[in-house]
Amino acid sequence: MNSSRPPVPLLAWRPMAGILFRQIVLYRRSVPRWMEIFYWPLLDLLVWGFLTLYLKKIPSFMPSAVTSLLGALLLWDLLYRAQQGISVMFLEEIWSKNLIHLLIAPITPFHVVGGAVLSSIVKVLLSSSVAAFLAYLLFSFRIFSLGLHLFFFILALLMMGWALGILTTAVILRFGQEAEVLAWGVIFLFQPFSAVFNPVSVLPQVAADISRAVPASYVFEGMRSVLVHGRLPVGDLMMAFLLDFLYAAVALFVYSRVITRARQKGFHLKLGS
Amino acid sequence: MALGEIPEVLLAQEVRKRYTKDGPWAVDGINLVLRRGEVVSIVGPNGAGKSTLIQMMLGLLVPDSGSIRIFGTDMATGRRKVAHRINYASTDLSLPYSLTVRENLMAYALIYNMSNIRERIEKVLVALNLEPFRDVRVGRLSTGQVARMGIAKALINDPELLFLDEPTATLDPEVSAQLRGTLQGMVRDRNMTLLYTSHNMREVERFSDRLYLMNRGRLVAEGTVPALMTRFDTEDLEALFLQMVQRERESDE
């Protein structure tokens, strides 16, 4: 009997490792899941890569602006994978009727989020590394030309992706599997305002105002600034992180409220049935 | 030791729950106690409120009023303090099909923050006769093996209180008997407490020290199987169950 065993500590690593372990085994065995990680980034890379080859031949286009398209694509994909990594992991628990096992385990919802974040890091690393290698091999684009700034760009985008992933998870938990399409679609709501392929300055005023509240817009503006002008607007990057923390706080608040409400109303018990 | 002297593992007091503001009570004023080393069954027709009650015991739902205390901790507010000492298996739940038996157990041993994981997994595999299937994916197991796998997962943390929701519903009589034997051995050897739901009245008769009869959210009778059969003047539990449902229906009319 284990009555002497203490409760699972709040910062215990094993529960998060358990969630990560399951994800790694799931992915190791599944060709469709590997395709999810590599197929779409590869297709996007080819389409945009060929476009940059064409644009480079047009004399009025600045070569650095053209190549920044590929940088934008790689970073956008990273943001997308970060968000999807969290939401899809949660959906996998629902699909495999496994969610209740996790909810009765001696862990907090934040252990689950921690495990999801770890698995998202692994997936993003795999996907982005392959995409970055292919971008260099096929189109001679070196993402590492962004230097040390790249680390901060990646971190800011990962944080935004995770926050949106947690928020999407909360919405799915609240409204059921009818809302699962959000796992794939929610990030695209932010794309027009993220200044991924174009500067904020070309947006209509309303869209430009909205983009100021989107962390990714500061990252993509910063990336272009580094690639084209060779300098980083530090203030913009700080703003990205500030907004990231705000997004994360809102996402975690909503997530914990939904969990509390679920325990009162029981809507989580119908998921996957 | 007299029954009252055996430590309480679970104490439910005046527990009520409904899912909508003006809807019917799914659980209506339940009082219930489980003591260490007991096998207790909750039986009742579909919709009696058994699942809602168990979900509250597990901390998946919070009662609208009343309280459920496990090892002295209120499950509505302190679930995490005792969750490592309990576990649950149900035929309604599953485990990822593309993981093997051992991988699933490994994942849950980690999630339950267990140490000596390999040793624990082997013990559980032996207890449930699952050693030959340790490297077989759950998706390739038979229905009966999947049910045993679910119970193996529920035993991974060496629980002191185990909830089993119709664990033998998908098993043939021989495997059911084996499983009952395994569980009885664990209750006897390790003083585990077992709360059990089943629609198989013969099984409940053989297996339970005590049982609670539930209907329409309320407990309608409680006691040992022989005491209840004497009280209701029936020859077996199935007849008692049918009589109880009939009485409730007539009282409503």
Side-chain angles (χ1 to χ4, degrees), chain B residues 20-48:
Chain B
T20 53
K21 199 178 169 188
D22 302 317
W25 291 102
V27 168
D28 188 3
I30 296 275
N31 291 292
L32 179 150
V33 63
L34 303 182
R35 295 181 194 282
R36 191 172 292 280
E38 274 191 309
V39 177
V40 175
S41 294
I42 300 182
V43 297
N46 293 328

Side-chain angles (χ1 to χ4, degrees), chain B residues 56-187:
Chain B
M56 286 190 283
M57 290 172 175
L58 291 165
L60 286 167
L61 281 173
V62 289
D64 291 341
S65 63
S67 70
I68 295 173
R69 301 183 82 81
I70 294 182
F71 305 117
T73 297
D74 188 339
M75 288 303 279
T77 54
R79 184 194 73 85
R80 222 174 58 80
K81 286 181 199 158
V82 292
H84 64 297
R85 297 168 69 182
I86 65 179
N87 215 321
Y88 170 63
S90 164
T91 43
D92 286 341
L93 302 182
S94 187
L95 290 160
Y97 273 25
S98 47
L99 270 68
T100 66
V101 168
R102 186 161 48 182
E103 287 163 349
N104 266 304
L105 293 176
M106 168 78 86
Y108 273 98
L110 285 164
I111 287 169
Y112 275 80
N113 205 35
M114 298 293 289
S115 47
N116 301 324
I117 287 174
R118 281 175 205 283
E119 190 185 316
R120 183 69 204 149
I121 290 173
E122 286 308 311
K123 266 189 187 169
V124 168
L125 288 173
V126 170
L128 273 299
N129 294 326
L130 282 168
E131 316 108 284
F133 310 105
R134 57 161 63 86
D135 294 317
V136 177
R137 291 188 202 184
V138 172
R140 291 184 185 156
L141 296 176
S142 70
T143 312
Q145 288 158 354
V146 169
R148 279 190 281 154
M149 172 65 214
I151 295 169
K153 175 258 146 190
L155 292 173
I156 197 69
N157 61 323
D158 192 14
E160 292 164 72
L161 171 59
L162 181 61
F163 297 90
L164 296 179
D165 193 3
E166 299 190 43
T168 57
T170 57
L171 304 181
D172 66 46
E174 189 191 355
V175 178
S176 294
Q178 277 175 8
L179 181 63
R180 277 197 306 276
T182 303
L183 292 170
Q184 276 168 329
M186 287 179 173
V187 169

Side-chain angles (χ1 to χ4, degrees), chain A residues 1-3 5 8 14-15 22 25-26 29 97-98 101 103-108 263-264 268-269, chain B residues 17 55 59-62 75 79-80 84 94 98 103 107-108 110 112-113 137 153 157-158 160 190:
Chain A
M1 281 295 159
N2 56 21
S3 53
R5 203 151 51 91
V8 177
R14 280 202 191 100
R22 266 169 17 137
V25 178
L26 276 175
R29 297 242 169 85
K97 292 188 174 180
N98 189 52
H101 287 310
L103 292 175
I104 63 161
I107 54 176
T108 67
R263 292 179 70 216
Q264 288 164 350
H268 58 317
L269 303 172
Chain B
K17 182 75 190 174
Q55 282 155 0
L60 286 167
L61 281 173
V62 289
M75 288 303 279
R79 184 194 73 85
R80 222 174 58 80
H84 64 297
S94 187
S98 47
E103 287 163 349
Y108 273 98
L110 285 164
Y112 275 80
N113 205 35
R137 291 188 202 184
K153 175 258 146 190
N157 61 323
D158 192 14
E160 292 164 72
R190 307 209 337 276

